[in-house]
Amino acid sequence: MPASIVIGTQWGDEGKGKATDLLADHMDFVVRYQGGNNAGHTIIAEGHELKLHLVPSGILYPHLTSVIADGVVVDPRVLLEEMDGLAAVGIDPSRLRVSGNCHMIMPYHLEIERVTERFLGKNALGTTKRGIGPAYGDKAARIGLRIQDLFDEKIFREKLEVVLKEKNQVLTRVYGRLPLTVDLIEDDYLRYAERLRPHVADTARLLHDGLHAGKNVLLEGAQGTMLDLDKGTYPFVTSSNPVAGYALASAGIGPREVDRVIGVTKAYVTRVGAGPFPTEDLGAGGELLGERGHEFGTTTGRKRRCGWFDAVILRYAARVNGLTELFLTKLDVLSGFERVRVCTSYRADGEVFEDVPPHQSLFHRAEPVYEELEGWDEELVDARAFGDLPAAARTYVERLQELGGVPISVVSVGPAREQSLAVA
Ligand code: IMP
């Protein structure tokens, strides 16, 4: 089996870690391909609760090599802290490999994001304030610093001096902040360099050689399709490309290596931060979804906005990612609703849209057109086979599959592995 891609079909937090967990046994490499420490999932390891933001969840499995590929922006301080946290609970982080081509999040990225979000006022994006946008901005502007720069001290100092000169002008003159000093940053980053050195590798070569030796590779997307810089609800997006196509560019492998593109979709929808969300339920329904689903951000602790399943964005995600199958997560959260709603199309300016509208303003004005299905009272957490689900829950799953046009292979009803039900 060659490479598989796991990707969220909504605005993130679909439960992608669960899919990785189910697939891990058959994998040799798990690769994180975009984003940075804006992502996050909570893992329970050796009885300890750990929050991982950057290290791929594959690190939990001793037989796997975990890889951070070129397209990820790395805050080295966070990476080292996560590795220390793992080591402290007995998980060996030595099999982690990081591409030297990864751009680094620098202290001025964090500072600039803080002030620009404040400057945007009511137009703020509600970012995670981890410096993601400014780091990708510098990458595109070709003034970014990469992990490999740490291993040539002269070059590192030179690049840092040049970029900091400009950043300090912006910080002091535009935003009235204090300037940052080259020496302090240099000291910190060169210390990080020594610890990172054993992990830095030519990850594209590693994955290529692995694939050609018959190894299996799982490419793990962070965030989700609707937060994609190009394919999402711009400008209310993240600054990278979670879509499946980018997994290849980042990992440095060709499209012919991939035979499975798994979309992870939650049985309802959540969103953190600002931006359009047609099926958002601002009433009691949304509250209940948030409560039952424990919908609080792993990275910022913010309450997630909650709403009903949106088949329009599912069809869109299926199309732009070329999904071959779906994992449906958190179906158990929907127990207790008398009726469950599914958005089948949008209405905006008197027109009906079966697909994501072609203009941002239309998307902002889109009203969901709902189909209502019968709900179910039974808790689902004890189901161990698809056939154990009440008839109404099975009908709901079958309807989502029909509307999305992609086969659902697994339905999950809780965080444990045995709560994943194969759909025949
Ligand atoms: P940034 O990625 O920090 O720049 O934030 C941009 C937008 O993406 C904000 O609306 C964030 O809330 C959202 N975002 C970033 N990462 C995640 C994630 O892992 N889950 C859900 N939303 C995210």
Side-chain angles (χ1 to χ4, degrees):
M1 188 168 58
S4 307
I5 301 176
V6 168
I7 153 93
T9 67
Q10 300 166 347
W11 282 280
D13 308 313
E14 297 92 350
K16 295 177 288 290
K18 180 81 194 276
T20 306
D21 181 55
L22 286 179
L23 298 164
D25 283 351
H26 309 288
M27 295 294 157
D28 300 290
F29 294 91
V30 171
V31 184
R32 181 66 204 275
Y33 62 83
Q34 44 68 233
N37 56 312
N38 48 349
H41 46 257
T42 308
I43 53 166
I44 311 285
E46 317 283 334
H48 298 271
E49 192 179 284
L50 275 185
K51 287 193 194 312
L52 288 184
H53 300 284
L54 199 50
V55 174
S57 50
I59 200 77
L60 299 180
Y61 310 89
H63 69 282
L64 283 175
T65 300
S66 291
V67 174
I68 297 181
D70 299 27
V72 176
V73 285
V74 173
D75 185 328
R77 185 185 57 78
V78 173
L79 181 58
L80 292 169
E81 265 174 26
E82 284 189 12
M83 283 161 56
D84 289 344
L86 287 162
V89 298
I91 299 166
D92 175 17
S94 67
R95 284 161 301 104
L96 178 68
R97 293 290 170 268
V98 185
S99 170
N101 292 340
C102 289
H103 279 248
M104 290 189 290
I105 297 181
M106 307 296 291
Y108 45 83
H109 293 138
L110 297 165
E111 185 69 8
I112 286 174
E113 185 162 32
R114 261 194 296 273
V115 289
T116 47
E117 274 284 279
R118 211 177 302 146
F119 175 79
L120 286 170
K122 70 173 181 45
N123 297 317
L125 299 174
T127 71
T128 60
K129 299 205 177 68
R130 298 298 189 269
I132 305 296
Y136 278 114
D138 282 359
K139 174 178 178 176
R142 292 155 297 179
I143 52 168
L145 278 105
R146 296 188 292 173
I147 287 184
Q148 58 174 279
D149 293 325
L150 294 171
F151 305 112
D152 183 331
E153 290 186 22
K154 188 164 162 284
I155 286 282
F156 179 72
R157 171 96 195 182
E158 257 173 47
K159 287 189 178 180
L160 183 60
E161 273 175 352
V162 170
V163 71
L164 201 57
K165 210 160 149 189
E166 190 258 347
K167 301 295 175 195
N168 276 339
Q169 294 278 337
V170 175
L171 282 171
T172 56
R173 295 189 178 212
V174 180
Y175 295 107
R177 309 291 298 177
L178 293 171
L180 302 177
T181 46
V182 174
D183 290 345
L184 287 181
I185 301 177
E186 187 187 30
D187 278 0
D188 284 343
Y189 275 66
L190 293 181
R191 251 186 306 113
Y192 303 147
E194 282 326 299
R195 293 202 49 207
L196 285 177
R197 195 187 286 275
H199 299 276
V200 177
D202 178 348
T203 54
R205 177 98 232 169
L206 184 72
L207 294 171
H208 172 273
D209 292 351
L211 283 165
H212 284 258
K215 305 279 186 206
N216 299 321
V217 174
L218 181 65
L219 300 149
E220 187 180 58
Q223 290 86 44
T225 303
M226 301 311 285
L227 285 172
D228 185 275
L229 182 60
D230 292 287
K231 294 286 170 282
T233 46
Y234 188 90
F236 301 100
V237 292
T238 192
S239 297
S240 65
N241 293 100
V243 292
Y246 188 68
L248 307 174
S250 171
I253 63 176
R256 284 187 307 171
E257 307 287 1
V258 178
D259 74 341
R260 255 178 121 180
V261 186
I262 301 158
V264 182
T265 195
K266 194 150 60 177
Y268 52 99
V269 181
T270 61
R271 172 162 207 173
V272 215
F277 177 1
T279 64
E280 182 171 19
D281 185 335
L282 295 166
E287 270 303 307
L288 194 56
L289 287 171
E291 255 168 55
R292 286 190 52 90
H294 310 291
E295 296 294 351
F296 291 90
T298 317
T299 302
T300 58
R302 288 180 290 178
K303 200 170 170 182
R304 296 179 183 141
R305 300 157 63 191
C306 296
W308 299 99
F309 194 85
D310 185 338
V312 180
I313 64 169
L314 175 60
R315 279 194 294 269
Y316 177 72
R319 175 160 65 80
V320 301
N321 292 299
L323 299 182
T324 58
E325 68 194 274
L326 286 171
F327 279 18
L328 181 70
T329 59
K330 295 185 99 165
L331 184 65
D332 52 304
V333 172
L334 293 181
S335 294
F337 286 95
E338 206 175 314
R339 318 274 302 160
V340 277
R341 300 170 121 190
V342 178
C343 167
T344 53
S345 59
Y346 303 144
R347 194 169 285 128
D349 295 357
E351 230 186 298
V352 171
F353 294 89
E354 303 278 337
D355 202 349
V356 168
H359 195 282
Q360 183 195 348
S361 308
L362 285 169
F363 198 89
H364 279 258
R365 289 199 288 275
E367 294 286 338
V369 176
Y370 284 121
E371 178 176 300
E372 289 205 346
L373 283 87
E374 196 188 320
W376 58 92
D377 270 334
E378 300 89 329
E379 290 293 347
L380 309 184
V381 289
D382 293 325
R384 293 294 174 269
F386 187 63
D388 294 344
L389 296 176
R394 276 183 277 135
T395 304
Y396 182 75
V397 174
E398 282 153 9
R399 184 65 184 135
L400 299 193
Q401 174 166 279
E402 209 170 80
L403 288 167
V406 181
I408 296 178
S409 53
V410 175
V411 174
S412 139
V413 292
R417 254 190 207 197
E418 59 275 18
Q419 289 171 304
S420 307
L421 323 175
V423 182

